[in-house]
Amino acid sequence: MERPAWAPQGIDLSVPSVSRIYDYYLGGSHNFEVDREAGRRAIEAFPGLPKIMQANRAFMRRAVRFCVDQGITQFLDIGSGIPTFGNVHEVAQAASPGAHVVYVDHDPVAVAHSRAVLEGVEHAAIVAADLRSPRDILDSAEVRGLIDLERPVALLLVAVLHFLEDADEPAKAVAELREAIAPGSLLVVTHASVEGGPRRPEEGERVENVYRSASSPLIMRSRAGVERFFDGFDLVEPGLVSAPLWRPDGSDDEELDPVVFSGFAGVGRKA
């Protein structure tokens, strides 16, 4: 396979990438046949995955606008993935031109793409770091230069916590980040689950098996398991719900496929 210019040296293009599979679901062009094949197998196991991802992306945009409406103009997006249309900085800076955004991802493909997209963009940067090491994120030059942790921050953990196994102690990582941000900060989370929608547990198990062959596992958690990430935060209305039910803005005119009600989305405020 000829390596395209946008693919960083040192990554194995024969192994599916979670970021590139997500890009495939969203209709992007930064993926390879190995990613598309993994994506197709996941869709066979869990029909409707692209629609779920698109609903997840639409929630993220609504949540960012909500954060700006609440007076927050600093965004820390961890597990940001490959940039696609409707990025956090595009939405945030459209609503508040001076908004500061720091993206964080540990996938070298996502980081390389982000650097290219952000070239020439003011008040936005990308950090190559892992959610499992919050201190590396908080101590990075990009965060120190663009984010004032003494002021409220929007902490986005969108479609990332389900790629951390319990052994990775994701709740501990979220708690460390929570302690570093100011009161009034908002936590934005989406998480995969077979609860809340028409899918069955065995379908969730099949898609988990597909992701085990990629660069990260996929962990389906229960509502109670997702709620634990909001310890120390007060959930804002309407609470922890399926992504399309979180403050819909009427932009989806067509009837939604029931599959998009799988999984959970929510926003919490640090007291």
Side-chain angles (χ1 to χ4, degrees), residues 88-269:
V88 171
H89 74 275
E90 292 174 341
V91 177
Q93 292 180 354
S96 178
H100 287 200
V101 179
V102 176
Y103 295 104
V104 180
D105 209 288
H106 75 287
D107 184 334
V109 172
V111 172
H113 277 295
S114 297
R115 286 184 176 139
V117 167
L118 296 175
E119 187 174 356
V121 177
E122 287 189 304
H123 312 310
I126 175 71
V127 177
D130 195 311
L131 173 56
R132 288 166 287 201
S133 301
R135 203 70 253 168
D136 291 345
I137 297 170
L138 296 167
D139 290 340
S140 68
E142 292 83 0
V143 169
R144 291 198 308 269
L146 286 174
I147 304 294
D148 179 1
L149 294 174
E150 299 300 316
R151 295 172 45 236
V153 175
L155 172 60
L156 278 64
L157 300 175
V158 176
V160 63
L161 289 165
H162 50 228
F163 291 121
L164 297 188
E165 299 179 85
D166 290 342
D168 294 320
E169 299 184 294
K172 182 179 178 182
V174 175
E176 188 171 342
L177 290 164
R178 180 193 67 224
E179 292 308 304
I181 57 181
S185 293
L186 294 171
L187 172 66
V188 179
V189 169
T190 65
H191 198 294
S193 178
V194 292
E195 291 186 25
R199 307 265 61 90
R200 299 186 301 275
E202 55 268 29
E203 291 174 299
E205 291 173 7
R206 288 200 294 271
V207 77
E208 284 177 342
N209 289 334
V210 172
Y211 271 88
R212 286 193 186 98
S213 69
S215 53
S216 298
L218 177 67
I219 309 300
M220 302 278 189
R221 291 188 172 92
S222 66
R223 172 187 288 274
V226 178
E227 283 179 339
R228 281 194 286 271
F229 295 120
F230 286 96
D231 287 350
F233 295 89
D234 297 322
L235 279 164
V236 304
E237 291 294 332
L240 190 63
V241 295
S242 299
L245 299 180
W246 196 91
R247 299 179 180 251
D249 58 10
S251 59
D252 295 314
D253 295 328
E254 60 183 86
E255 184 175 351
L256 293 173
D257 189 317
V259 74
V260 302
F261 294 93
S262 302
F264 296 106
V267 177
R269 180 178 283 107

